[in-house]
Amino acid sequence: MMKRWFVCGILVMLSACSNTPTQYHTLSTDMGSAAVPVVTASLKSVGVGPITLPTLLDREGMVIRKDATTLEVSDTHLWGGQLEDEFQRTLAQHLQSRLPATRVQTVPWELSQTPQYQVVVKLDQFDGTPGGKAWLRGVWQLQAGNDGKIFATEPLMLTRQTPEAGVTGLVKAQSGLLADLANQITRGLVAF
């Protein structure tokens, strides 16, 4: 009988330790009143993806930078979906708003729907410090949709100040970085 009470007491204590509420976050295209550059270039279609994440970022918990050499994978701040999917979906939405006359789609697509151009993103860093800065580092490539021929490879090193303290401010800054990336890709598509 005493053993059963002891086990019940331990379970009550453990459940009290996990009272920190879990918050789920998603990347957004809502940039407030920021003007979106619209391009009327004659691009038939653009495909987005794949997005390649480093192993460190390929997880449910958000990666939060503490300092230059210390990262934390949060147990209470989680992505609402797979980060790769969130990133790809949001980037495609940003590109569609900048290229309204172009069909923008994400991988995978049907063979009959192969886009004219394909944008591939390989990330090295997508994290930040709440109340500080968010970083997006890696490369993006512009390829032919039908055969994968690489037309351009551009480095990425974007930063944004978080608009408010806390993880919510960090996610807003990361969403803003995707808007900045979409602007860079749009300029690259139009120049090509």
Side-chain angles (χ1 to χ4, degrees), residues 67-166:
D67 58 40
T69 60
T70 308
L71 299 171
E72 172 188 305
V73 178
S74 180
D75 292 330
T76 58
H77 293 282
L78 309 177
W79 290 110
Q82 295 292 320
L83 178 56
E84 176 183 328
D85 296 339
E86 288 279 313
F87 193 102
Q88 182 173 276
R89 173 192 55 81
T90 306
L91 180 58
Q93 289 172 349
H94 277 298
L95 288 172
Q96 187 66 76
S97 68
R98 285 153 179 77
L99 302 163
T102 303
R103 184 187 63 199
V104 178
Q105 58 197 33
T106 59
V107 294
W109 45 74
E110 297 291 327
L111 188 58
S112 63
Q113 298 294 314
T114 300
Q116 179 182 7
Y117 297 103
Q118 182 175 355
V119 176
V120 175
V121 181
K122 298 174 184 175
L123 296 179
D124 294 326
Q125 182 179 8
F126 188 58
D127 59 36
T129 306
K133 288 186 177 182
W135 294 274
L136 174 57
R137 189 171 54 87
V139 297
W140 66 271
Q141 291 180 333
L142 179 61
Q143 303 177 180
N146 58 355
D147 63 7
K149 177 183 175 189
I150 298 173
F151 297 124
T153 300
E154 296 293 327
L156 276 174
M157 188 54 194
L158 303 171
T159 62
R160 261 199 188 222
Q161 187 67 40
T162 58
E164 59 192 67

Side-chain angles (χ1 to χ4, degrees), residues 47-82:
V48 178
I51 308 298
T52 306
L53 301 174
T55 305
L56 175 67
L57 294 177
D58 191 14
R59 58 187 73 239
E60 188 179 18
M62 290 184 64
V63 175
I64 300 170
R65 185 164 291 281
K66 295 299 184 181
D67 58 40
T69 60
T70 308
L71 299 171
E72 172 188 305
V73 178
S74 180
D75 292 330
T76 58
H77 293 282
L78 309 177
W79 290 110
Q82 295 292 320

